Amino acid sequence: MTFSPILTKEEFILVDDAELCLKWVYPKAATDSKPVLVFLHDSLGCIKLWRDIPEKLAQATGCTALIYDRQGYGQSSPFESINRGLDYLEQEADVLERLLEKLQISQAILIGHSDGGSIALMAAAKYKSRIKAIITEGAHVFVEEETLAGIRAAVEAYQTTDLPQKLQKYHGAKTEAVFPAWTDTWLSSDFRSWNIEHFLPSILCPALIIQGEKDEYGTLAQVEAVVQQAQGPVQQLILPGIAHTPHREAPELVLEKSAQFILSSQGCV
């Protein structure tokens, strides 16, 4: 695909006493009548780690895109504490709603990876009037042994490789909080009971659920739960040979299928 230059802008906005870093992407064909694509990063992610995916999807659909660093990540304010409750991802769905309200975004299509996918599911369930469709990659709705094994492997990599240095390029000094905020929470005995399936029947909007067949953090049971319990029209895209980050491992296919879904479900033409 060939894409022409588009306008981007970064800014900071205060939400709940935290300064969040935002990036806007404006394709030439964008209009106020189209939904805004809102990108929700994973447990170690940030704006920059989406690379050029937002720009390419915005151009392919003609929709404005919004990418932001959640509190504790990237260029946003640091965590107040790395101690998290079972509802920390639901709280992020509530922060998202307040952010969209503050930005006066009345129509949003959420694109969430991993933790961001779980946030998208809960936001769609809780804020139906604002969320018009969702796309998730590697989202979790419950904890599996495969999830915990993947996180334990990440802990070993953090301790034995240059992973801390790689993360510091994106999170700076916050890296020392970002990593344990994820691993300590998910590996705690209390978190074994985390489950958001009760939100799924409240999802009425169209959904595209993407997962790699070799996802090291979850099985296809995660996808099946959404497909079986969400009440809106749900499409699933299972990618053979792909692990936990489909938009990085199979970018062209993910872009193509995501653009088709957005155009067909919301009329972004």
Side-chain angles (χ1 to χ4, degrees), residues 219-242:
T219 73
L220 297 182
Q222 305 282 346
V223 177
E224 293 166 6
V226 180
V227 171
Q228 292 172 6
Q229 297 180 63
Q231 297 302 298
V234 181
Q235 301 176 36
Q236 59 179 326
L237 177 61
I238 309 302
L239 302 175
I242 299 299

Side-chain angles (χ1 to χ4, degrees), residues 86-87 89-90 118 122 140-144 186 190-201 222 225 229:
L86 288 176
D87 64 345
L89 291 173
E90 183 181 357
S118 302
M122 287 183 281
H140 290 91
V141 294
F142 46 76
V143 179
E144 297 181 282
W186 280 76
D190 289 345
F191 209 75
R192 301 292 178 93
S193 64
W194 178 82
N195 188 306
I196 62 169
E197 286 182 279
H198 58 285
F199 286 101
L200 301 181
Q222 305 282 346
Q229 297 180 63

Side-chain angles (χ1 to χ4, degrees), residues 51-112:
R51 297 187 169 86
D52 62 354
I53 294 295
E55 283 85 351
K56 288 183 174 179
L57 196 55
Q59 283 231 327
T61 60
C63 295
T64 296
L66 169 67
I67 317 97
Y68 73 100
D69 293 331
R70 295 196 298 275
Q71 183 178 1
Y73 300 87
Q75 299 182 68
S76 290
S77 297
F79 294 122
E80 292 180 5
S81 169
I82 67 169
N83 297 319
R84 292 167 156 176
L86 288 176
D87 64 345
Y88 86 94
L89 291 173
E90 183 181 357
Q91 290 180 18
E92 290 292 351
D94 297 337
V95 172
L96 169 62
E97 165 65 12
R98 292 192 286 275
L99 172 63
L100 297 180
E101 175 68 25
K102 194 163 191 175
L103 295 172
Q104 298 183 339
I105 296 174
S106 60
Q107 299 184 81
I109 295 178
L110 306 181
I111 300 149

